[in-house]
Every structure is written in C-alpha cells, then in structure tokens.
Amino acid sequence: MSITEIGRATEQETAELVRLRRDFHRHPELGYQEVRTSGIVATRMRELGYEVRDGVAKTGVIASRGAGGRTLYVRADMDALPIVEENDVDYRSTQDGVMHACGHDAHTAIAMMVAERFAKADLAGRISFGFQPAEEGGQGADRMAEQGGLDGVDAALGLHVWSSLPVGKIGVTTGPAMASVDEFVIEVRGFGGHAAVPHLADDPIVKAAQLVTDLQTIVSRRVSPLDAAVVTVTRFDGGSAFNVIPDSVTLWGTIRTFNERVREDTHRLLQEITGERGTVSIRRVTRVLVNDARMCEIVREAAASVVGPENVIDSERTMGGEDFATVLATVPGCFFFVGSALPQGTFPHHHPRFDVDERALPLGLDVMTRAAHLYLERGFRDGAGAA
Ligand code: NI
C-alpha cells in the first residue's frame, strides 16, 4: 500500500490515538525518567518491524526503516511536568505532582500512529522517528543529537498541539517561530547589618529593586523596537527578618528573543546594566527555532489538503521555546502547531487544568503523515536536500 492511498484517519486509528494519549496522560513521567513511556514506544516500534535503538540520551528511542533516497526525522517529545493536575477527567494523572500539561502525551501518540502508517507503506526513502526525553528544559533534543540521533538525516518535522489555536487550524510559520530561551541569575552583593542603622550598611534589597527597574530599559530603550525581546525577572530572593539588612539578594529570570544576534546583545546589556552591582550568570536553554521555507511549503500543502487552505494559519509565533530548535539548526525542517483549544474555554500550556481537545489528534496524524510523505516522495522544490 502506498501512503497516498491512506486517506483521513479512520475511526479505528482515532480510537487508538485517544487510547494511547490517555494511557500516557494517566502515567506521566518527568524528563529522563520516561521509562514506561519509552518502553511502550520501543516495544510497539519493534512489533511494527522498525530498526529500534533505545536508551538514546537515557530514555530516548529512535525507530527507523527504509533505505536510499532522503532521510526524514520525525520527532516527538515524551516528558511531562512537575505539576499537580487539577482536571477532573477519568484519564487524570495517577502520578502525584506529575502531569502531561504541555501535550507531549498527544505528540507521542501521534508519532506512534504515523509510524504505524509508514510501517505498512512502500517508502520512497528512509524515515526515522525520534522519541525524545526531557524537552522541558532538559535539552533532550541536544542529547539525542550528540548520540547520533541526526546522523544521515536530511530534514526534520515536528509538531505541537496548541491551546491558543482552535481545533481544525494548523499554524505554520516560515523563519523564526519560537524564541531562544535563557535563564539568568544575578547575585546582588551588599553589606548587611541592623535595619535601624541603614547608613552603616550597603543595602542589597534597595540595589536589587533598582536593578529590576533598570532591567526594564533593555527592552524599552536598548533593543531596537523592530526586534522582539523579553527580559523578565521571575524571582527575588533575599532577607530573613524584619530588622536585618541581608548581605545579598538573588534575582532569577529569563531572556527570550527571535534572533541569535539580539540574543547575544541582550546578554551583553544584562551584564552592562548590572555592572558592579552584582554577578550575572546565564544558562542557555534553547536557541531560536527557525523553520525552513521549503519545508513550510510542504507542510502548508499537506495541511491544506487536510483542513482546507483557509485553516492554515501563517504566523503563529510564540515567545515560548522548544529544544527542537537544535534539530532545525542542524537540518532544514518545520515545526508546526496543531490547534487543540477546548471549546468550553482553554487553559494555557503548563497550567494545572491544561487539556487537549482530542479531535486534534487525527488532524495531527493526517498532516504529519502527508507532509512526511510529500517530502520523501519529492524533496524540496528547489532540489536541495535531494539524496
Ligand atoms: Ni511542549
């Protein structure tokens, strides 16, 4: 059977998607602890006849088949978040304090079903499914790549269910689509003492409060208004008693940009504005996620054939980050959004009441299958990336 003969998701496929997604939802696992999830994935991929490498980046699985032609990497993330679920549903998390609050349960289920379809198909090239651990700040994509996950890969596809898009809409953005993510910590030093004699101390609370205000000028006065950036202080720690001035205060926060140059500039400005007042350390979490125009064209064509061209949304960008950015910095590809908003009112990703409208699952399956098929059959229109 050729993939082109596979039409819209069947009732049976849809039921299986829901069953898999709910099973993963009931049994969420944090980054690098996806033992149950990856076990289910590896077993199923072996049953389907894939060449399987498990234990990649600890709990990742790579399942491949086919030879010759182009090699496409289809990625799904498997990890959950340290959140107590507040949804009252029968597939509620059974793990205390762990929840699939970003939809990675859906991504894993969809990729498994795409693999199921390709297991039955005559392949025009090679397809490699990367089920990765630890997307949520754990840089699982980087670890998979370091362990050869992208060796021989020509292009890549990934998707995310998206709570701010209605079901039936597919978001495809050419170029930068998701932000770089960095974490910063600033240790503001002072000299503590008795609160009654502040003139004898060097009060780090006043200095840190002023610094938080000064940091607002990075985006408002230093970064070009034509460039997007976020500098947010999210935590302010210091002091222990009403009558003691502490020695130091620690600030935590995040920097987001859509451009690696702006990212470097923002890091420099954070250092410059902090100056002598404190010590800055920055942890780079993910780079800017940049979609390849040619692969976006393929995804748009695939999506239009599933949901109609009027439902393919052009510019769904977010200051959220994604470690799939690493994959797209290595090979051309596209990361697209599958609308999954709940009709009765939706909660954002990472919220204790986040949930996925499961009607999004077969749409994700259909768009991903068709896009993968189009790429393997004919490559990019300009002939680049051809084997
Ligand atoms: Ni996510």
Side-chain angles (χ1 to χ4, degrees), residues 179-249:
S180 62
V181 176
D182 300 305
E183 178 191 19
F184 66 80
V185 180
I186 306 174
E187 174 96 20
V188 178
R189 288 174 307 269
F191 181 74
H194 200 296
V197 285
H199 58 296
L200 301 180
D202 176 19
D203 187 345
I205 292 199
V206 175
K207 285 208 286 192
Q210 183 62 47
L211 179 55
V212 171
T213 304
D214 293 347
L215 293 179
Q216 308 313 307
T217 65
I218 295 177
V219 173
S220 70
R221 284 298 173 268
R222 301 295 295 274
V223 171
S224 162
L226 299 176
D227 289 323
V230 168
V231 176
T232 300
V233 176
T234 53
R235 187 171 158 193
F236 189 118
D237 267 9
S240 56
F242 89 100
N243 54 359
V244 177
I245 293 170
D247 273 324
S248 70
V249 165

Side-chain angles (χ1 to χ4, degrees), residues 77 102 104 107 135-136 160 322 350:
D77 40 12
C102 197
H104 300 184
H107 305 164
E135 191 284 320
E136 301 288 357
H160 209 299
E322 239 302 330
H350 296 201

Side-chain angles (χ1 to χ4, degrees), residues 154-294:
D154 298 301
L157 284 170
L159 62 74
H160 209 299
V161 290
W162 212 239
S163 69
S164 56
L165 265 186
V167 176
K169 307 270 184 204
I170 304 291
V172 188
T173 304
T174 299
M178 296 183 78
S180 62
V181 176
D182 300 305
E183 178 191 19
F184 66 80
V185 180
I186 306 174
E187 174 96 20
V188 178
R189 288 174 307 269
F191 181 74
H194 200 296
V197 285
H199 58 296
L200 301 180
D202 176 19
D203 187 345
I205 292 199
V206 175
K207 285 208 286 192
Q210 183 62 47
L211 179 55
V212 171
T213 304
D214 293 347
L215 293 179
Q216 308 313 307
T217 65
I218 295 177
V219 173
S220 70
R221 284 298 173 268
R222 301 295 295 274
V223 171
S224 162
L226 299 176
D227 289 323
V230 168
V231 176
T232 300
V233 176
T234 53
R235 187 171 158 193
F236 189 118
D237 267 9
S240 56
F242 89 100
N243 54 359
V244 177
I245 293 170
D247 273 324
S248 70
V249 165
T250 308
L251 304 177
W252 272 263
T254 186
I255 296 170
R256 311 283 169 121
T257 70
F258 270 130
N259 173 306
E260 293 292 331
R261 175 187 53 78
V262 178
R263 183 186 191 189
E264 297 309 320
D265 286 352
T266 308
H267 287 192
R268 187 176 48 73
L269 289 166
L270 191 79
Q271 296 274 4
E272 184 189 309
I273 288 175
T274 302
E276 296 288 290
R277 289 182 281 187
T279 319
V280 178
S281 51
I282 297 174
R283 182 173 74 93
R284 292 161 182 271
V285 183
T286 63
R287 23 184 321 130
V288 182
L289 182 142
V290 183
N291 281 330
D292 182 85
R294 299 160 302 175

Side-chain angles (χ1 to χ4, degrees), residues 21 25 30 77 79-87 97-105 107 134-138 160-164 178 181 256 285-286 318-323 335 340 346-356:
R21 183 259 160 169
H25 195 90
L30 295 174
D77 40 12
D79 57 321
L81 286 153
I83 291 174
V84 179
E85 176 155 18
E86 288 175 13
N87 285 315
V98 185
M99 174 190 178
H100 268 296
C102 197
H104 300 184
D105 46 353
H107 305 164
E135 191 284 320
E136 301 288 357
H160 209 299
V161 290
W162 212 239
S163 69
S164 56
M178 296 183 78
V181 176
R256 311 283 169 121
V285 183
T286 63
T318 167
M319 276 290 177
E322 239 302 330
D323 71 1
F335 189 69
S340 66
T346 202
F347 290 90
H349 293 262
H350 296 201
H351 189 281
R353 293 187 62 192
F354 170 83
D355 204 352
V356 171

